[in-house]
Structures are given as structure tokens and as C-alpha cells.
Amino acid sequence: SHDFIGEFTTSYRELSRGQSQFNVYEVINPKKKGKKKKYVNSGTVTLLSFLIETEVSFLDYIKGGTQINFTVAIDFTASNGNPSQPTSLHYMNPYQLNAYGMALKAVGEIIQDYDSDKMFPALGFGARLPPDGRVSHEFALNGNPQNPYCHGIDGVMEAYYRSLKSVQLYGPTNFAPVINHVARYAASVKDGSQYFVLLIVTDGVISDMAQTKESIVNASRLPMSIIIVGVGPAEFDAMEELDGDVVRISSRGKFAERDIVQFVPFRDYIDRSGNHVLSMARLAKDVLAEIPEQFLSYMRVRGIKPSPAPPPYTPPIHVLQTQI
């Protein structure tokens, strides 16, 4: 059984002196000290080394200037239903947001606070585009492939509604092109100055599972995270697999370096009383819960430390001159 040898007290300040004559401590057993006149100590403890490790947080990087780049990708496949019908997940109801609109706004309004220029690339996949009806899995919602950026989340919503009027919903549901699109940008800045978040809003069954897994495994080495929000009543088993919380995702025998996918089914967040503000707040909270840890895991593996935060802004002091 354990035997109490003795005790001593010290402080952080003393320990921080490191190895020195100050950091040799007599271990005293009060019972023995009381009984034996000749008792000196029960041995000594000597400090050999002292090291301070700083735990950095997500906000330390943000304060140091790391930019979060937010990209949106929307599912325009025919399984969503005809946008002019009220049964469609893309139905443009003049009085309230559809499920896609709610998911975009809920997540986007929070993430946009971490993106200093508020310019978001917005992409669509699974539609036939005018004028020639070619099928695209990576088209710019604003119609400009050279510059797919929209201003703020409101700009994204505007481009989304405009696209619904001009493209034809088609298929199949391919994720790999939009993941690779963002990965190309992420691959060009690996120094920790930028981090990329891709939000995919989809109604379900994925067609290019093998290619998507491959894209995710490759992207897990890059400064990026993927959020998938599933809307509608479909089975989302494949999405759970991509999430990788239970089993780490792999492709061709190669495992993802880190978990970068967060999947949530939107139906789990619909407030029973019809309070959409509440639904959106709950969704945003869960969807964004894993991002800081995924972000930190990338920085840790790469040994990237946050840049020092700039000094707080102090307004210039105006000297008031008074004439007497």
C-alpha cells in the first residue's frame, strides 16, 4: 500500500527559476517531526527542468490576422423538385426562406464575421446551364466563372435566387468538383495565413462517392474544412460516412490525415413551433462547433504558431486649445 513520505510547498514563481539551489526542497513528514527530536527530513526533491507550454486558441490565430475564406456550394439536382412548386426544396416562397435559404443564412451570417472582405465564392452543381444546356458540377451562381464572388451572405442569396430562374435542375449529385475547386485555393496558402471553409447544402443521395472520398482524403492535408447540411427527407447514410466521426474516412487504403467534414441533417433542427430564428440558431451552433478544433488540428500538425496580435487601436488625443 502507499506510504506517505512527506510534503513540501513551492510556487510557480520559485519553480520558474529553473534548476538552481532555490529549487531543492526538503520533504517533511509532520508526524515524524513531532515524534523524533533528531528528525531532519525524509529526503529532498530537486527540480531538474522547467518548461512553459502555451495552449493557443482559435481566436489567437484570428487576432493574429488569419483569414477565414468561406465558399458556398448549392445542390441544383432534379431530385429537389421543380422550384415553381411548393413541394420543392428550392421553392421560392415570397414570404419565407426555403430550407436552402435558411441553411445558407444561418451558417453564413456567423462565418461572415470572420471573413474580412465579406466576398464569398458561391457555386452550384448538378444543373444544366444556359445557353447550350451543358451539365455543370461547379458553376458560378452569379454567372461569372472568372469572378464567382458575391458580396456578403445577402449577395449569395441574391445569386442563388437568380440561378434558380435561369438554370435547369438536373443531376447527378457530384461533390468532388466543388471540393477540388476549394482545395486548389487551399493548396496555394499553407502557411497558416488563410483557412478555407466550404459549405455544401444538398438534398441527399451522392453519386460520386469514391471520387468524393478521394477529394476529402487529399483535402485533409490542406487548411480547409467542409460542412455538409442535408435538407429534405432523404436518407443521409452516405453523409454520415463522410463525416468520419465514427470511422475515419479513407480512399484506396489511405486514411484522412484529420477529420475535416461535419454533416448535419437540417430536419433535426426545425423548431416544432415554426420558429425559424431558433431553428437557424441551433443549426449554426452545431454546424460550426467542430470548425475551431479542425482549424487548430491543421495548425498543430504543421507547427504554425499564431502571429502576434496588433496593439489595440487608441484614437489620437486632440489637444483642446482654449483662449482666455
Side-chain angles (χ1 to χ4, degrees):
S1 61
H2 293 295
D3 191 20
F4 175 66
I5 298 171
E7 63 197 11
F8 67 92
T9 56
T10 181
S11 67
Y12 171 81
R13 184 174 289 167
E14 284 174 35
L15 290 172
S16 65
R17 292 170 169 176
Q19 196 176 1
S20 67
Q21 79 269 26
F22 300 108
N23 277 317
V24 178
Y25 300 95
E26 291 194 324
V27 177
I28 305 293
N29 186 328
K31 276 188 181 169
K32 286 186 180 174
K33 195 173 181 176
K35 283 180 187 167
K36 299 178 184 174
K37 290 246 178 342
K38 289 183 177 171
Y39 177 83
V40 181
N41 60 42
S42 299
T44 55
V45 167
T46 305
L47 176 77
L48 298 180
S49 66
F50 178 83
L51 174 73
I52 299 169
E53 286 209 356
T54 316
E55 275 285 309
V56 288
S57 73
F58 173 64
L59 281 179
D60 290 326
Y61 288 92
I62 300 296
K63 285 176 189 162
T66 297
Q67 288 294 315
I68 304 287
N69 296 298
F70 180 48
T71 303
V72 168
I74 297 176
D75 182 334
F76 281 86
T77 55
S79 53
N80 284 284
N82 182 341
S84 61
Q85 304 291 320
T87 50
S88 169
L89 293 165
H90 280 306
Y91 179 57
M92 293 207 283
N93 183 332
Y95 304 107
Q96 69 175 68
L97 293 169
N98 60 26
Y100 277 86
M102 276 197 258
L104 285 174
K105 225 170 160 57
V107 179
E109 283 188 340
I110 291 177
I111 285 194
Q112 73 178 357
D113 290 340
Y114 295 91
D115 190 317
S116 61
D117 66 0
K118 309 272 184 280
M119 297 301 285
F120 308 131
L123 309 170
F125 58 92
R128 293 177 95 154
L129 307 189
D132 51 1
R134 68 185 175 88
V135 177
S136 172
H137 295 293
E138 186 190 343
F139 63 91
L141 290 190
N142 65 2
N144 182 351
Q146 273 69 50
N147 184 6
Y149 292 85
C150 302
H151 195 288
I153 208 65
D154 291 336
V156 172
M157 302 292 284
E158 209 178 299
Y160 160 57
Y161 289 131
R162 238 194 349 260
S163 289
L164 278 177
K165 293 189 179 110
S166 63
V167 306
Q168 183 196 347
L169 270 57
Y170 204 66
T173 308
N174 291 356
F175 282 9
V178 289
I179 294 173
N180 292 336
H181 176 103
V182 176
R184 282 194 292 277
Y185 289 95
S188 65
V189 272
K190 294 187 194 162
D191 60 356
S193 63
Q194 301 195 39
Y195 193 85
F196 295 78
V197 177
L198 167 63
L199 168 65
I200 301 175
V201 192
T202 179
D203 78 326
V205 187
I206 185 168
S207 317
D208 64 338
M209 193 64 174
Q211 292 90 327
T212 295
K213 281 184 171 178
E214 176 90 350
S215 312
I216 292 170
V217 169
N218 293 337
S220 69
R221 295 194 297 272
L222 302 173
M224 77 180 266
S225 287
I226 301 165
I227 298 164
I228 304 171
V229 176
V231 294
E235 284 302 316
F236 291 120
D237 299 355
M239 305 298 169
E240 302 284 3
E241 191 183 333
L242 295 180
D243 192 308
D245 279 350
V246 183
V247 179
R248 180 63 59 92
I249 189 171
S250 65
S251 170
R252 297 198 258 182
K254 216 166 54 176
F255 280 86
E257 186 181 288
R258 46 189 251 287
D259 174 22
I260 62 164
V261 180
Q262 165 75 331
F263 166 72
V264 295
F266 189 63
R267 56 173 174 251
D268 291 2
Y269 296 86
I270 307 237
D271 185 67
R272 297 283 169 264
S273 64
N275 182 338
H276 293 317
V277 176
L278 212 56
S279 306
M280 287 161 73
R282 283 188 194 141
L283 174 77
K285 180 176 175 288
D286 271 20
V287 157
L288 298 171
E290 289 188 16
I291 299 280
E293 194 39 57
Q294 290 177 2
F295 173 100
L296 288 170
S297 71
Y298 175 81
M299 299 300 179
R300 269 189 226 117
V301 168
R302 297 291 178 287
I304 299 167
K305 300 269 183 282
S307 304
Y313 172 73
T314 44
I317 297 163
H318 293 294
V319 178
L320 289 172
Q321 288 187 327
T322 51
Q323 287 185 332
I324 299 168

